[in-house]
Amino acid sequence: MSSTELVPASGTASQAAARADGRQFLTFRIGGEEYGLDILRVQEIRSYEAPTRVAHAPSFVKGVVNLRGVIVPILDLRIRLGQPSEYNGFTVVIVLNVAGRVVGIVVDSVSDVLELSASEIKPRPEVPAAIDSRFMTGLGKLGERMLILLDIEAMIKSPDFGLVD
């Protein structure tokens, strides 16, 4: 199993100054949608490896893996969002440190790390969707790209996930 360390691409000093009020997001894809989550929650990105199944776990809990001595639950975010899960060479696990726990989420692919200024983050819409709006921090607009920005901590702490007391 390989892992990739996250090293944001460096830009010019003027780009850094222009986005000083921004936040960095790791972007990833599930189906045809692009999502972003706070880069500070990301511990590492790993290639997908079939986890050890856990009896009677919900369908989105794929199992657990041993990550350097830490047992990490692996959640398939695609299934949780009502999307089909198809494993291929682009499927990855984003290992997160959320609410004092290490958790892995399975996504279709990871795109990049983006920095969005406050003006590029729009309020979350109040429309029916596969994802509960309380788990969205907003929408990121960068040129023609539209990112669904997730509050991954609220999502993991949710009773629906049942991982955090």
Coordinates of all heavy atoms in Angstrom, one line a residue, residues 51-112:
P51 N -10.2 -3.5 3.0 CA -10.1 -3.6 4.4 C -10.6 -4.9 5.0 O -11.3 -5.6 4.3 CB -10.9 -2.4 4.9 CG -11.9 -2.2 3.9 CD -11.3 -2.6 2.6
T52 N -10.4 -5.2 6.3 CA -10.9 -6.3 7.0 C -12.4 -6.0 7.3 O -12.6 -4.9 8.0 CB -10.1 -6.6 8.2 OG1 -8.8 -6.9 7.8 CG2 -10.7 -7.8 9.0
R53 N -13.3 -6.8 6.9 CA -14.7 -6.5 7.1 C -15.0 -6.6 8.6 O -14.4 -7.3 9.4 CB -15.6 -7.5 6.4 CG -15.5 -7.5 4.9 CD -16.2 -6.4 4.2 NE -17.6 -6.4 4.5 CZ -18.4 -5.4 4.4 NH1 -17.9 -4.2 3.9 NH2 -19.7 -5.4 4.7
V54 N -16.1 -5.9 9.0 CA -16.5 -5.9 10.4 C -18.0 -6.4 10.4 O -18.8 -5.8 9.6 CB -16.5 -4.5 11.1 CG1 -17.1 -4.5 12.5 CG2 -15.0 -4.0 11.1
A55 N -18.3 -7.4 11.1 CA -19.6 -8.0 11.1 C -20.7 -7.0 11.6 O -20.5 -6.2 12.5 CB -19.7 -9.2 12.0
H56 N -21.8 -7.0 10.9 CA -23.0 -6.2 11.2 C -22.8 -4.7 11.1 O -23.5 -3.9 11.6 CB -23.5 -6.5 12.6 CG -23.8 -8.0 12.7 ND1 -24.8 -8.6 12.1 CD2 -23.2 -8.9 13.5 CE1 -24.8 -9.9 12.4 NE2 -23.8 -10.1 13.3
A57 N -21.7 -4.3 10.4 CA -21.5 -2.8 10.2 C -22.4 -2.3 9.0 O -22.8 -3.1 8.2 CB -20.0 -2.6 9.8
P58 N -22.8 -1.0 9.1 CA -23.5 -0.5 8.0 C -22.8 -0.7 6.7 O -21.6 -0.8 6.6 CB -23.7 1.0 8.3 CG -23.3 1.1 9.8 CD -22.4 -0.1 10.1
S59 N -23.5 -0.6 5.6 CA -23.0 -0.9 4.2 C -21.8 0.1 3.9 O -20.9 -0.3 3.1 CB -24.0 -0.9 3.1 OG -24.6 0.4 3.1
F60 N -21.9 1.3 4.4 CA -20.9 2.3 4.0 C -19.6 2.1 4.8 O -18.6 2.7 4.5 CB -21.4 3.7 4.1 CG -21.7 4.2 5.5 CD1 -20.8 4.7 6.4 CD2 -23.0 4.0 6.0 CE1 -21.1 5.1 7.7 CE2 -23.3 4.4 7.3 CZ -22.4 4.9 8.1
V61 N -19.6 1.3 5.9 CA -18.4 1.0 6.6 C -17.8 -0.3 6.0 O -18.3 -1.4 6.1 CB -18.7 0.7 8.1 CG1 -17.4 0.3 8.9 CG2 -19.4 1.9 8.8
K62 N -16.7 0.0 5.2 CA -16.1 -1.1 4.5 C -15.3 -2.0 5.3 O -15.0 -3.2 5.0 CB -15.2 -0.5 3.3 CG -15.9 0.3 2.3 CD -17.2 -0.2 1.8 CE -17.0 -1.5 0.9 NZ -18.3 -2.0 0.5
G63 N -14.9 -1.6 6.5 CA -14.1 -2.4 7.4 C -13.0 -1.6 8.1 O -13.2 -0.3 8.2
V64 N -11.9 -2.2 8.5 CA -10.8 -1.5 9.1 C -9.5 -1.9 8.5 O -9.4 -3.0 7.9 CB -10.8 -1.8 10.7 CG1 -12.1 -1.3 11.3 CG2 -10.7 -3.3 10.9
V65 N -8.5 -1.1 8.7 CA -7.1 -1.4 8.2 C -6.2 -1.0 9.4 O -6.5 -0.2 10.3 CB -6.7 -0.6 7.0 CG1 -7.5 -1.0 5.8 CG2 -6.7 0.9 7.2
N66 N -5.1 -1.7 9.4 CA -4.0 -1.4 10.4 C -3.1 -0.4 9.7 O -2.4 -0.7 8.8 CB -3.3 -2.7 10.8 CG -2.3 -2.4 11.9 OD1 -1.9 -1.3 12.2 ND2 -2.0 -3.5 12.6
L67 N -3.1 0.8 10.2 CA -2.2 1.9 9.7 C -1.1 2.2 10.7 O -1.4 2.9 11.7 CB -3.0 3.1 9.4 CG -2.3 4.3 8.7 CD1 -1.7 3.9 7.4 CD2 -3.3 5.4 8.6
R68 N 0.0 1.6 10.5 CA 1.2 1.8 11.5 C 0.8 1.6 12.9 O 1.1 2.4 13.8 CB 1.8 3.1 11.2 CG 2.5 3.3 9.9 CD 3.2 4.6 9.7 NE 2.2 5.7 9.5 CZ 1.5 6.0 8.5 NH1 1.6 5.2 7.4 NH2 0.7 7.0 8.4
G69 N 0.0 0.5 13.2 CA -0.4 0.2 14.5 C -1.7 0.8 15.0 O -2.1 0.5 16.1
V70 N -2.3 1.6 14.2 CA -3.6 2.2 14.5 C -4.7 1.6 13.7 O -4.5 1.5 12.5 CB -3.6 3.8 14.3 CG1 -4.9 4.4 14.5 CG2 -2.5 4.4 15.1
I71 N -5.7 1.1 14.3 CA -6.8 0.5 13.6 C -7.7 1.6 13.1 O -8.3 2.4 13.9 CB -7.6 -0.5 14.5 CG1 -6.7 -1.6 15.0 CG2 -8.8 -1.1 13.8 CD1 -6.0 -2.4 14.0
V72 N -7.9 1.7 11.8 CA -8.6 2.8 11.2 C -9.9 2.3 10.5 O -9.8 1.5 9.6 CB -7.7 3.5 10.1 CG1 -8.4 4.7 9.4 CG2 -6.4 4.0 10.8
P73 N -11.0 2.8 10.9 CA -12.3 2.5 10.2 C -12.2 3.1 8.8 O -11.8 4.3 8.6 CB -13.4 3.0 11.0 CG -12.8 4.0 11.9 CD -11.3 3.7 12.0
I74 N -12.7 2.3 7.8 CA -12.7 2.8 6.4 C -14.2 3.0 6.0 O -15.0 2.0 6.0 CB -12.0 1.9 5.4 CG1 -10.6 1.6 5.9 CG2 -12.1 2.4 4.0 CD1 -9.7 2.9 5.9
L75 N -14.6 4.2 5.7 CA -16.0 4.5 5.3 C -16.0 4.9 3.8 O -15.2 5.7 3.3 CB -16.4 5.8 6.1 CG -16.2 5.8 7.6 CD1 -16.6 7.1 8.2 CD2 -16.9 4.6 8.2
D76 N -16.9 4.3 3.1 CA -17.0 4.6 1.7 C -18.0 5.8 1.6 O -19.2 5.6 1.7 CB -17.5 3.4 0.9 CG -17.3 3.6 -0.6 OD1 -17.5 4.7 -1.1 OD2 -17.0 2.6 -1.3
L77 N -17.5 6.9 1.3 CA -18.3 8.2 1.3 C -19.2 8.1 0.1 O -20.3 8.7 0.1 CB -17.4 9.4 1.2 CG -18.0 10.7 1.6 CD1 -18.7 10.7 2.9 CD2 -17.0 11.8 1.5
R78 N -18.8 7.4 -1.0 CA -19.7 7.2 -2.1 C -21.0 6.5 -1.8 O -22.1 7.0 -2.2 CB -18.9 6.5 -3.2 CG -17.6 7.2 -3.6 CD -16.8 6.4 -4.5 NE -16.4 5.1 -3.9 CZ -15.7 4.1 -4.5 NH1 -15.3 4.3 -5.7 NH2 -15.5 3.0 -3.9
I79 N -20.9 5.5 -1.0 CA -22.1 4.7 -0.6 C -22.9 5.6 0.3 O -24.2 5.7 0.2 CB -21.7 3.4 0.1 CG1 -21.1 2.4 -1.0 CG2 -23.0 2.8 0.7 CD1 -20.5 1.2 -0.4
R80 N -22.3 6.3 1.2 CA -22.9 7.2 2.2 C -23.7 8.3 1.5 O -24.8 8.7 1.9 CB -21.9 7.8 3.1 CG -22.5 8.5 4.3 CD -23.2 7.5 5.2 NE -24.0 8.2 6.2 CZ -25.3 8.5 6.1 NH1 -26.0 8.1 5.1 NH2 -25.9 9.1 7.1
L81 N -23.2 8.7 0.3 CA -23.9 9.8 -0.5 C -24.8 9.2 -1.6 O -25.3 9.9 -2.4 CB -22.9 10.7 -1.1 CG -22.0 11.5 -0.1 CD1 -21.0 12.3 -0.8 CD2 -22.9 12.4 0.8
G82 N -25.1 7.9 -1.5 CA -26.0 7.3 -2.4 C -25.5 7.1 -3.8 O -26.2 6.9 -4.8
Q83 N -24.2 7.0 -4.0 CA -23.5 6.8 -5.3 C -23.0 5.4 -5.4 O -22.7 4.8 -4.4 CB -22.3 7.8 -5.5 CG -22.7 9.2 -5.4 CD -23.4 9.6 -6.6 OE1 -23.2 9.2 -7.8 NE2 -24.4 10.5 -6.4
P84 N -23.0 4.8 -6.6 CA -22.4 3.5 -6.7 C -20.9 3.5 -6.4 O -20.2 4.5 -6.6 CB -22.6 3.1 -8.2 CG -22.8 4.4 -8.9 CD -23.3 5.4 -7.9
S85 N -20.4 2.4 -5.8 CA -19.0 2.3 -5.5 C -18.4 1.3 -6.5 O -18.7 0.2 -6.5 CB -18.8 2.0 -4.1 OG -19.3 0.7 -3.8
E86 N -17.5 1.8 -7.2 CA -16.7 1.0 -8.2 C -15.2 1.3 -7.9 O -14.8 2.4 -8.0 CB -17.1 1.5 -9.6 CG -16.5 0.6 -10.7 CD -17.0 1.1 -12.1 OE1 -18.2 1.1 -12.3 OE2 -16.2 1.5 -12.9
Y87 N -14.5 0.2 -7.6 CA -13.1 0.3 -7.3 C -12.2 0.2 -8.5 O -12.4 -0.8 -9.2 CB -12.8 -0.7 -6.2 CG -13.6 -0.5 -5.0 CD1 -14.8 -1.2 -4.8 CD2 -13.3 0.4 -4.0 CE1 -15.6 -1.0 -3.7 CE2 -14.1 0.6 -2.9 CZ -15.3 -0.1 -2.7 OH -16.1 0.1 -1.7
N88 N -11.3 1.1 -8.7 CA -10.4 1.1 -9.8 C -9.1 1.7 -9.4 O -8.9 1.9 -8.2 CB -11.0 1.8 -11.1 CG -11.3 3.2 -10.8 OD1 -10.5 3.9 -10.1 ND2 -12.4 3.7 -11.4
G89 N -8.2 1.9 -10.3 CA -6.9 2.4 -10.0 C -6.8 3.8 -9.5 O -5.8 4.2 -8.9
F90 N -7.9 4.5 -9.7 CA -8.0 5.9 -9.2 C -8.6 6.0 -7.8 O -8.5 7.0 -7.1 CB -8.8 6.8 -10.1 CG -8.1 7.0 -11.5 CD1 -8.7 6.3 -12.6 CD2 -7.0 7.7 -11.6 CE1 -8.1 6.5 -13.8 CE2 -6.4 7.9 -12.8 CZ -6.9 7.3 -13.9
T91 N -9.3 4.9 -7.3 CA -9.9 4.9 -6.0 C -8.9 5.1 -4.9 O -7.8 4.4 -4.9 CB -10.7 3.6 -5.8 OG1 -11.6 3.4 -6.9 CG2 -11.4 3.6 -4.5
V92 N -9.1 6.0 -4.0 CA -8.2 6.3 -2.9 C -8.9 6.4 -1.6 O -10.1 6.6 -1.6 CB -7.3 7.6 -3.2 CG1 -6.5 7.5 -4.4 CG2 -8.2 8.8 -3.3
V93 N -8.1 6.3 -0.6 CA -8.6 6.5 0.8 C -7.9 7.8 1.3 O -6.7 7.9 1.3 CB -8.3 5.3 1.7 CG1 -8.7 5.6 3.1 CG2 -8.9 4.0 1.2
I94 N -8.7 8.7 1.8 CA -8.2 9.9 2.4 C -8.3 9.6 3.9 O -9.3 9.4 4.5 CB -9.1 11.2 2.0 CG1 -9.1 11.4 0.5 CG2 -8.5 12.4 2.8 CD1 -10.1 12.4 0.1
V95 N -7.1 9.6 4.5 CA -7.0 9.4 6.0 C -7.1 10.7 6.7 O -6.3 11.6 6.4 CB -5.7 8.6 6.3 CG1 -5.6 8.4 7.8 CG2 -5.6 7.3 5.6
L96 N -8.1 10.8 7.5 CA -8.4 12.1 8.2 C -8.2 11.9 9.7 O -8.3 10.8 10.3 CB -9.9 12.4 8.0 CG -10.4 12.5 6.6 CD1 -11.9 12.5 6.5 CD2 -9.8 13.7 5.9
N97 N -7.9 13.1 10.3 CA -7.8 13.1 11.8 C -9.0 14.0 12.2 O -8.9 15.3 12.0 CB -6.5 13.7 12.2 CG -6.3 13.5 13.7 OD1 -7.2 13.5 14.5 ND2 -5.0 13.3 14.1
V98 N -10.1 13.4 12.7 CA -11.3 14.2 12.9 C -11.8 13.8 14.3 O -11.9 12.7 14.7 CB -12.4 13.8 11.9 CG1 -13.7 14.5 12.2 CG2 -12.0 14.1 10.5
A99 N -12.0 14.9 15.1 CA -12.6 14.7 16.5 C -11.7 13.7 17.3 O -12.2 12.9 18.0 CB -14.0 14.2 16.4
G100 N -10.4 13.8 17.1 CA -9.5 13.0 17.9 C -9.4 11.6 17.4 O -8.8 10.7 18.1
R101 N -10.0 11.2 16.3 CA -10.0 9.9 15.8 C -9.4 9.9 14.4 O -9.5 10.9 13.6 CB -11.4 9.3 15.6 CG -12.1 9.3 16.9 CD -12.8 8.0 17.3 NE -12.5 6.8 16.5 CZ -13.3 5.8 16.4 NH1 -14.5 5.9 16.8 NH2 -13.0 4.8 15.8
V102 N -8.8 8.8 14.0 CA -8.3 8.6 12.6 C -9.3 7.8 11.9 O -9.7 6.7 12.4 CB -6.9 7.9 12.6 CG1 -6.4 7.7 11.2 CG2 -5.9 8.8 13.4
V103 N -9.8 8.3 10.7 CA -10.8 7.7 9.9 C -10.4 7.8 8.5 O -9.8 8.8 8.1 CB -12.2 8.4 10.1 CG1 -13.2 7.8 9.2 CG2 -12.6 8.4 11.6
G104 N -10.7 6.8 7.7 CA -10.4 6.8 6.3 C -11.7 6.9 5.5 O -12.7 6.2 5.8
I105 N -11.7 7.7 4.5 CA -12.9 7.8 3.6 C -12.5 7.4 2.2 O -11.5 7.9 1.7 CB -13.6 9.2 3.6 CG1 -12.7 10.3 3.2 CG2 -14.2 9.5 5.0 CD1 -13.3 11.7 3.0
V106 N -13.3 6.6 1.5 CA -13.0 6.1 0.2 C -13.7 7.1 -0.8 O -14.9 7.4 -0.6 CB -13.6 4.7 -0.1 CG1 -13.3 4.3 -1.5 CG2 -13.0 3.7 0.9
V107 N -13.0 7.6 -1.8 CA -13.5 8.5 -2.8 C -13.0 8.0 -4.2 O -12.1 7.2 -4.3 CB -13.0 9.9 -2.6 CG1 -13.5 10.5 -1.2 CG2 -11.5 10.1 -2.7
D108 N -13.6 8.5 -5.2 CA -13.3 8.1 -6.6 C -11.9 8.5 -7.0 O -11.1 7.7 -7.5 CB -14.3 8.6 -7.6 CG -15.6 7.9 -7.5 OD1 -15.7 6.8 -7.0 OD2 -16.6 8.5 -8.0
S109 N -11.5 9.7 -6.7 CA -10.2 10.2 -7.0 C -9.9 11.5 -6.3 O -10.8 12.2 -5.9 CB -10.0 10.4 -8.5 OG -10.9 11.4 -9.0
V110 N -8.6 11.8 -6.1 CA -8.2 13.1 -5.5 C -7.7 14.0 -6.6 O -7.0 13.5 -7.5 CB -7.1 12.9 -4.4 CG1 -6.6 14.2 -3.9 CG2 -7.7 12.1 -3.2
S111 N -8.2 15.2 -6.6 CA -7.8 16.2 -7.6 C -6.5 16.9 -7.2 O -5.5 16.7 -7.8 CB -8.9 17.1 -8.0 OG -10.1 16.4 -8.3
D112 N -6.7 17.9 -6.3 CA -5.6 18.7 -6.0 C -5.9 19.5 -4.7 O -6.9 19.2 -4.0 CB -5.2 19.7 -7.1 CG -6.4 20.5 -7.6 OD1 -7.4 20.5 -6.9 OD2 -6.3 21.1 -8.7

